[in-house]
Amino acid sequence: MTDLNFRISSFQSLGTVDGPGVRAVVFLQGCPLRCHCCHNPETWDIKGGNIISGEELLHKILRCKAYFGAKGGVTFSGGEPLLQAQALLKLIPQLKEENIHVALDTSGCALNDTVKKLIDMCDLVLLDYKYTTDDDYFKYTSMKKSAVDDFLSYLNQVGKPTWLRQVIIPTVNDSNESVSILFKLKDKYSCIEKIELLPFRKLCIEKYKELGINFPFNDKREATKEDIEKLKNAVN
């Protein structure tokens, strides 16, 4: 049993949108990015959240196992789970002993030996590919696009099953040209199994108010289901 602790923001027992099937979703605390569309600003502070032992977290996940079925499992999200990669290296082998499918939901902001070991242990990577231009990437996330490209190249190199995900924000990254560039990545990287377009939502506004933080995209409208379908049809 791992003797390492985790800092988590929240735990979702029956998630259905963060990977295949029904999943336990662990929202780990801490994130180095400051994305303008972030829905979870409470996860930014690496010293925030709640401390939980690896043993307790394992127990919480195992209690959900009966609901996973053939396709479900656990997804480590955030925040940015790569910030707690060392602890995950201790926990995931115990999940694999229980034949639990493990997905990693990440921005791809770091790629070092520890992260590479973590990638190797996971069954699936959900990679948040936020924008398709260098300028937009840095302007709206504080991260360089080259970092996520390097991360994706590594996933392709090792043949790791990957889903690309992008939040569609009207007037920012909702052009046919931008989405076409995103979908063409599938031709270049054989590891990409799926590309998901996620509609921008503003349910997080109250969180920003409580934290006394300005929500940078408060002036943007939410994306509709019709917006997403229109973009998908335009590039297919």
Side-chain angles (χ1 to χ4, degrees):
M1 195 68 66
T2 178
D3 58 356
L4 293 178
N5 291 330
F6 291 84
R7 281 189 178 270
I8 70 169
S9 174
S10 60
F11 182 92
Q12 185 178 3
S13 57
L14 299 174
T16 58
V17 295
D18 296 296
V22 175
R23 312 187 70 79
V25 185
V26 184
F27 293 91
L28 293 167
Q29 186 71 23
C31 185
L33 277 64
R34 293 297 178 266
C35 299
H36 286 202
C37 66
C38 182
H39 288 187
N40 301 308
E42 74 280 6
T43 67
W44 292 350
D45 185 3
I46 189 61
K47 295 181 180 179
N50 300 302
I51 297 175
I52 183 173
S53 70
E55 182 176 9
E56 183 179 354
L57 182 54
L58 176 63
H59 180 65
K60 287 174 71 71
I61 294 169
L62 290 180
R63 285 193 303 178
C64 303
K65 184 180 178 182
Y67 300 98
F68 293 161
K71 295 183 179 180
V74 60
T75 298
F76 293 103
S77 186
E80 176 48 69
L82 298 185
L83 295 185
Q84 300 187 52
Q86 194 65 56
L88 287 172
L89 289 181
K90 300 290 185 179
L91 177 64
I92 292 176
Q94 298 168 68
L95 296 171
K96 302 313 295 179
E97 287 179 5
E98 298 288 340
N99 295 314
I100 292 176
H101 182 279
V102 177
L104 179 71
D105 181 6
T106 178
S107 68
C109 62
L111 186 63
N112 51 42
D113 288 344
T114 300
V115 170
K116 289 178 179 179
K117 290 177 183 177
L118 177 59
I119 290 170
D120 182 62
M121 288 184 178
C122 294
D123 299 292
L124 173 69
V125 173
L126 309 177
L127 181 59
D128 300 322
Y129 201 98
K130 300 172 186 291
Y131 300 95
T132 56
T133 70
D134 295 336
D135 289 345
D136 282 350
Y137 227 104
F138 192 74
K139 178 180 180 181
Y140 296 126
T141 72
S142 74
M143 173 181 168
K144 290 184 177 180
K145 180 174 172 291
S146 58
V148 71
D149 285 331
D150 288 344
F151 197 93
L152 179 55
S153 293
Y154 180 75
L155 294 176
N156 198 61
Q157 176 186 326
V158 298
K160 184 61 60 177
T162 301
W163 292 7
L164 289 193
R165 314 176 94 197
Q166 186 173 104
V167 175
I168 297 300
I169 306 127
T171 74
V172 178
N173 64 346
D174 64 335
S175 69
N176 290 348
E177 178 184 6
S178 176
V179 175
S180 178
I181 291 171
L182 179 69
F183 274 78
K184 285 179 180 177
L185 291 173
K186 197 170 183 179
D187 297 330
K188 182 178 180 181
Y189 299 100
S190 60
C191 66
I192 299 174
E193 295 184 341
K194 184 177 182 180
I195 296 177
E196 293 184 312
L197 303 183
L198 310 176
F200 170 64
R201 295 284 183 258
K202 296 197 287 187
L203 297 173
C204 56
I205 288 178
E206 289 304 316
K207 294 181 181 181
Y208 280 85
K209 290 180 180 178
E210 291 176 5
L211 293 169
I213 302 172
N214 176 57
F215 181 43
F217 279 167
N218 189 41
D219 62 329
K220 307 300 181 186
R221 72 169 177 85
E222 293 187 339
T224 65
K225 181 179 179 180
E226 290 72 24
D227 291 330
I228 301 301
E229 291 304 314
K230 185 177 180 180
L231 286 170
K232 287 180 180 177
N233 291 335
V235 300
N236 289 328

